[in-house]
Amino acid sequence: MIKNIIFDFGDIFINLDKQGTYKAMASLGVTKISDEMIKVYHNYEKGVLNTEKFIEFFYKKFEIPKNDLINAWNAVLLDFPLTRLDFLKELSSSEKYRLFLLSNTNDL
C-alpha cells in the first residue's frame, strides 16, 4: 500500500522552458558557452559557489547587470497551473498519503 508520495517541482507542477535561460542569455549577448561557464554553473548548482559569486562571475565576464542576469537565469521558469495546485490540495485533504516535494531549485 502506498503511504508516501514524493513529487519533483520542475516540469511536474511548474512548467519549464528548458532553453529559456540560453535564449535570454543570448539576447544579452552571451551566445557561446565556455568550459569556464559550465564549471561555474556546476559549482553553483552543487552549492560550492554562492549566488553572489555566481552573479559576480557573469558581471565581470560579460558586464551583465544583476537584474538582467537574474531574469535570464529564471527565464526557464514558466507558469504553475492552478489545476495542479488544486490536485495537490485534493490529494492532501484526502489524508491518504504523506506528500513530499523535492527540488533542486537553487537560491537564484
Side-chain angles (χ1 to χ4, degrees):
M1 172 189 250
I2 298 174
K3 294 181 182 181
N4 302 304
I5 302 175
I6 302 171
F7 293 103
D8 187 14
F9 192 59
D11 250 2
I12 302 299
F13 292 111
I14 189 170
N15 290 320
L16 300 179
D17 176 357
K18 293 181 181 176
Q19 296 300 311
T21 297
Y22 297 111
K23 292 184 282 188
M25 291 295 283
S27 75
L28 296 171
V30 181
T31 57
K32 294 184 182 176
I33 300 172
S34 68
D35 289 340
E36 180 185 29
M37 291 167 64
I38 291 170
K39 182 178 178 182
V40 167
Y41 162 76
H42 284 290
N43 284 337
Y44 182 59
E45 287 294 308
K46 290 185 223 173
V48 174
L49 191 66
N50 69 26
T51 298
E52 183 180 326
K53 296 288 184 188
F54 179 74
I55 291 171
E56 184 180 309
F57 167 80
F58 283 95
Y59 177 75
K60 286 182 177 179
K61 188 162 186 74
F62 302 105
E63 296 183 11
I64 297 172
K66 179 180 178 179
N67 286 338
D68 291 345
L69 177 60
I70 291 169
N71 290 335
W73 185 255
N74 288 316
V76 69
L77 304 173
L78 297 176
D79 61 320
F80 185 170
L82 288 179
T83 56
R84 296 177 190 166
L85 180 58
D86 292 341
F87 165 75
L88 282 175
K89 287 178 179 179
E90 183 179 326
L91 196 57
S92 177
S93 67
S94 76
E95 299 183 4
K96 292 180 182 178
Y97 311 101
R98 291 177 52 204
L99 305 179
F100 298 90
L101 178 67
L102 295 179
S103 181
N104 61 339
T105 304
N106 58 55
D107 183 50
L108 188 57

